[in-house]
Amino acid sequence: MTTRLKNIAKLALFTTTLLTIGCASMFKTTTHVPIQVYADPLESSIYLDDEKVSETFHQIEYPFKSDKKFTYRIEKDGFEPKTVIIEKKFNTYAYLNLLTFLFSPVLFLIDHANDALFIYKSPSENIKLEVNENYKEKTETATYKQFESDRSKLKNTKGLIVFNGYVTEILVTDGDGNKYDIKNTPFLFAPGNFEVQSKFYTSFKKGNYQHTYTAKTPITSKLTLQPASAIAVCTDFDSVKNTSTHTLISSGKPNPYLSSETTLKRFNMARLCPKSIFMQKVNP
């Protein structure tokens, strides 16, 4: 087959693929992901369509072939409530259809048929509440009482310990002396007392050079893990003392929504870690 015929065959295959899939549809594995909501401050109540569903974190499996609007309300004593509406919006990947001038109308129709022309997106930032010292969350509603009733039943449910990204040599020791080298992945434990150890590490490219920083020695901290909850061990570096530091962030009281191990593992608790002071200095 001549080079010209090969190029024509490739073009025909590419065109056929586009006409079958559509540009936005090609990115469905990237765009059609669970909707996640993170609330700030920690332990803020999360209401979905007026029903209390969680605290701090909640997610919805991606709703295919749906045009439903999801109304979230975030509340906490001492803070002004905030409402966030999540609805479908135009998928910017669909603009790629315009590159195929002749077929773009057909491709837009294909994307629409594949539920890819308009998509749901999670809030890009944590939903942060402003201080209002006079606000008190209503605790007499049926949905609030049901949530508290479910919370009281969580006694032996596993919890999550997770570390942020600037870390190496992670070691977790439980109350019985069992040691777990959990690398940097979420790991579930039975509730109890733990000792966590890690060492600050980062490597990044700045300009034409690769920069790597590693603390000389690890740091050890003690923590208590509640049932159906999560703790982030936020490791940083004190450049003056040349040592690692720990900040422990807890999701708080047992959360019925986090009683599912699958849900708990999807909870990116490290997202709630404070910004690394060291990294803001060396790579702002």
Side-chain angles (χ1 to χ4, degrees):
M1 184 181 292
T2 65
T3 301
R4 183 177 179 183
L5 288 176
K6 287 182 179 179
N7 291 335
I8 292 174
K10 290 179 180 179
L11 179 60
L13 178 61
F14 176 72
T15 302
T16 302
T17 301
L18 282 180
L19 288 174
T20 305
I21 300 177
C23 289
S25 302
M26 295 171 66
F27 295 92
K28 287 181 71 172
T29 56
T30 302
T31 58
H32 290 52
V33 295
I35 300 169
Q36 295 189 333
V37 169
Y38 287 82
D40 182 8
L42 293 163
E43 294 191 80
S44 296
S45 295
I46 299 178
Y47 291 81
L48 175 59
D49 298 332
D50 291 324
E51 178 184 354
K52 183 168 180 177
V53 291
S54 186
E55 293 171 343
T56 306
F57 165 76
H58 188 259
Q59 78 166 21
I60 306 170
E61 293 299 328
Y62 191 89
F64 289 93
K65 300 290 184 179
S66 172
D67 292 318
K68 176 179 171 61
K69 292 183 180 181
F70 299 94
T71 302
Y72 277 103
R73 187 176 76 259
I74 313 300
E75 295 191 17
K76 186 177 176 67
D77 287 354
F79 293 86
E80 187 68 26
K82 182 175 288 187
T83 298
V84 175
I85 297 176
I86 297 176
E87 58 186 325
K88 277 187 170 178
K89 295 184 178 180
F90 184 75
N91 185 356
T92 54
Y93 281 120
Y95 285 124
L96 295 174
N97 292 328
L98 298 175
L99 298 176
T100 61
F101 299 100
L102 180 61
F103 300 110
S104 58
V106 176
L107 297 179
F108 278 116
L109 290 173
I110 291 173
D111 283 335
H112 179 70
N114 288 333
D115 195 32
L117 191 58
F118 294 88
I119 57 173
Y120 293 100
K121 287 186 178 181
S122 301
S124 57
E125 302 288 339
N126 300 338
I127 300 175
K128 187 174 179 61
L129 302 183
E130 301 297 330
V131 174
N132 179 353
E133 296 179 355
N134 297 322
Y135 184 79
K136 295 291 183 182
E137 183 178 0
K138 295 178 181 179
T139 59
E140 297 303 317
T141 62
T143 183
Y144 185 95
K145 290 180 177 180
Q146 182 61 54
F147 191 87
E148 292 300 319
S149 175
D150 293 340
R151 191 201 304 274
S152 67
K153 302 172 185 176
L154 303 171
K155 294 182 179 180
N156 299 313
T157 309
K158 289 183 178 180
L160 171 71
I161 297 177
V162 65
F163 291 74
N164 64 340
Y166 307 119
V167 66
T168 187
E169 296 184 21
I170 295 173
L171 186 66
V172 177
T173 305
D174 65 20
D176 295 325
N178 299 309
K179 298 182 182 296
Y180 304 86
D181 180 5
I182 66 174
K183 307 300 181 185
N184 197 30
T185 58
F187 204 93
L188 302 184
F189 295 92
N193 296 319
F194 294 86
E195 189 175 85
V196 293
Q197 174 184 292
S198 65
K199 186 164 71 174
F200 180 87
Y201 168 83
T202 187
S203 183
F204 59 90
K205 190 171 184 179
K206 189 174 182 180
N208 296 322
Y209 300 95
Q210 187 73 24
H211 299 262
T212 300
Y213 297 89
T214 307
K216 288 185 177 180
T217 57
I219 184 174
T220 300
S221 297
K222 295 182 179 181
L223 60 85
T224 299
L225 182 65
Q226 298 289 332
S229 68
I231 291 181
V233 182
C234 311
T235 307
D236 205 349
F237 183 66
D238 186 331
S239 57
V240 176
K241 298 180 180 180
N242 192 28
T243 184
S244 301
T245 63
H246 274 170
T247 300
L248 304 179
I249 306 294
S250 172
S251 65
K253 295 180 291 186
N255 182 347
Y257 178 68
L258 298 179
S259 61
S260 161
E261 293 188 7
T262 300
T263 300
L264 195 55
K265 287 182 177 181
R266 290 179 176 178
F267 182 12
N268 181 17
M269 186 65 189
R271 169 174 171 159
L272 299 169
C273 283
K275 292 183 179 180
S276 167
I277 296 174
F278 178 75
M279 290 302 296
Q280 290 183 74
K281 291 179 181 178
V282 299
N283 189 30

